[in-house]
Amino acid sequence: MPKSIVLQDMANIGSNLNKAKSIIQSGGLVAIPTETVYGLGADALNPDAVASVFSTKNRPTFDPLITHISSIGQVDSYTLRWSNKAWALAKKFWPGPLTLLLPKSNSIPDLVTSGMEKVAVRIPKSELTLKLLNLLKSPLVAPSANPFGYVSPTNPKHVEDQLGNKIPYILDGGECEIGIESTIVGFDSEDNATVYRLGGLSVDDIKNEIGDVQITAHSTSNPQAPGMLKSHYSPKVKIKLGNIYAGLDKIKEIDQVGIISFMQPVQKVPPNHQVVLAPDGSLKTAAKNLFSALRYMDTINISTLLIEEVPDYGLGEAINDRLRRAAVK
Ligand code: TXA
Ligand code: MG
């Protein structure tokens, strides 16, 4: 953080784009809304600003950052070439919850990609953030705006709760429409596609566009995408993932239990210790509520959190991926 920026006690929350612009231009950090989760935005072409993103999040510098742009034409400035499949996906799904790994050009600082030769790029779908990007000359790096290893934020309050005393401004775009992070796709020299992180764009949607894809997002410590560590999205409470009723049978103190279920609440447990992710049975609704539910469970007095997986198709695959990582301690 440059000395010219005076930190306040708590971040302001608002929709003042000029304020956001001037903070970014002087090397500061602004939390930005996207359709997936809130990001911790900084000037991608300013290595000092990028460095302060890592330190503010307590994130190891071996875990690279996604570069956010506002138009497909800008990809040429920050990468060396397109792949055919990347182009097809970008045309179809941007702006949207899709991140592409492409060979980086020299204009992107090495710190952004943790020294790797590919840069992660995406166009987010948020009116405010797209307007901000259009006001700036640089793209924005933006990891999820949470301390490293914790659950991603899906509204301004989530950001304020954890980073409010470390950043000057949070751009308020309301609740995130999708609620889980973007799907990350990379391509080899023969243009075979690999999904490195399951996310807000389902694998089926990707396959419909470019045919078969490999998925390595399930691996535990994937060097291609170091952030996909097995233990991630972790609330503080101990999580048991599986059949809720079987889990409850083993627990004596029912008032010490929290429940996150897919469609139905559990009779025995007090309602204020439960979140039903999707009373309507929709995986979209479940994704949107997931991170708020995990955060809520950290605010109540429980010793065990029982969670059931959601149906394992479409967005459900990405939701279950988050749940499994959250359950690893
Ligand atoms: O939806 C999203 O993608 C959100 C919003 C704010 O855009 N951003 C986000 O960023 O989730 P972050 O930093 O929390 O997760 C990005 C992931 C990390 O796991 C990182 O390792 C991976 O993307 N990544 C970034 N650049 C990469 C690169 N050059 N090669 C491989 N993996 C990369
Ligand atoms: Mg993250």
Side-chain angles (χ1 to χ4, degrees):
M1 180 79 54
K3 293 206 175 60
S4 59
I5 293 175
V6 180
L7 282 184
Q8 294 142 6
D9 285 337
M10 284 310 266
N12 281 306
I13 301 179
S15 52
N16 186 335
L17 287 168
N18 283 324
K19 179 169 177 167
K21 175 187 168 189
S22 77
I23 294 170
I24 297 284
Q25 283 181 333
S26 50
L29 308 184
V30 174
I32 54 167
T34 82
E35 79 285 30
T36 57
V37 301
Y38 273 72
L40 184 59
D43 182 341
L45 307 185
N46 176 344
D48 289 338
V50 175
S52 72
V53 169
F54 284 99
S55 59
T56 301
K57 263 185 74 94
N58 241 332
R59 174 166 168 143
T61 50
F62 60 71
D63 190 0
L65 306 176
I66 296 174
T67 298
H68 296 69
I69 54 175
S70 58
S71 79
I72 215 167
Q74 291 166 354
V75 171
D76 291 333
S77 308
Y78 307 115
T79 71
L80 297 178
R81 60 189 167 273
W82 278 101
S83 90
N84 289 335
K85 286 181 182 168
W87 176 252
L89 291 176
K91 290 288 279 182
K92 175 81 181 178
F93 297 115
W94 277 354
L98 167 72
T99 294
L100 298 172
L101 296 176
L102 294 171
K104 94 175 192 62
S105 72
N106 283 337
S107 55
I108 295 286
D110 288 333
L111 187 56
V112 170
T113 62
S114 304
M116 289 195 279
E117 63 169 35
K118 290 193 176 164
V119 59
V121 282
R122 91 175 188 99
I123 304 182
K125 189 176 167 192
S126 151
E127 212 178 303
L128 264 185
T129 293
L130 288 172
K131 277 186 186 159
L132 174 62
L133 284 165
N134 284 331
L135 288 174
L136 295 165
K137 290 199 182 73
S138 300
L140 288 170
V141 285
S144 52
N146 51 278
F148 182 68
Y150 196 71
V151 180
S152 296
T154 54
N155 63 41
K157 176 80 170 50
H158 290 167
V159 181
E160 187 182 43
D161 285 348
Q162 290 185 305
L163 298 180
N165 59 358
K166 293 187 168 177
I167 61 175
Y169 200 49
I170 300 169
L171 207 48
D172 185 356
E175 287 285 333
C176 297
E177 188 189 321
I178 292 180
I180 52 176
E181 303 84 352
S182 61
T183 305
I184 301 179
V185 188
F187 311 87
D188 68 12
S189 54
E190 270 117 53
D191 209 13
N192 298 303
T194 299
V195 172
Y196 291 103
R197 177 174 70 183
L198 298 166
L201 179 65
S202 76
V203 172
D204 290 341
D205 284 345
I206 292 171
K207 284 184 177 166
N208 280 339
E209 214 46 39
I210 59 168
D212 210 17
V213 295
Q214 206 186 319
I215 301 174
T216 64
H218 299 295
S219 65
T220 53
S221 58
N222 182 349
Q224 291 271 3
M228 269 129 273
L229 301 172
K230 190 170 180 188
S231 165
H232 216 63
Y233 311 105
S234 295
K236 294 176 188 104
V237 66
K238 185 175 74 187
I239 294 178
K240 294 215 168 109
L241 191 60
N243 184 293
I244 288 173
Y245 290 94
L248 274 176
D249 281 346
K250 294 192 194 112
I251 290 170
K252 289 195 194 89
E253 290 168 327
I254 285 294
D255 61 334
Q256 287 293 302
V257 179
I259 306 271
I260 297 178
S261 56
F262 177 48
M263 283 178 71
Q264 302 278 351
V266 168
Q267 294 303 328
K268 282 198 262 180
V269 176
N272 65 346
H273 279 196
Q274 298 198 52
V275 177
V276 178
L277 290 179
D280 63 355
S282 135
L283 289 166
K284 249 182 145 168
T285 310
K288 195 169 172 168
N289 292 329
L290 176 68
F291 288 147
S292 285
L294 289 171
R295 278 172 187 265
Y296 174 70
M297 292 298 165
D298 268 348
T299 68
I300 57 175
N301 187 18
I302 54 173
S303 56
T304 306
L305 173 55
L306 301 176
I307 310 183
E308 68 182 356
E309 292 192 358
V310 303
D312 207 31
Y313 56 82
L315 270 183
E317 291 182 298
I319 296 169
N320 288 334
D321 170 77
R322 305 301 185 275
L323 291 177
R324 287 170 202 142
R325 286 175 209 274
V328 174
K329 277 284 173 228

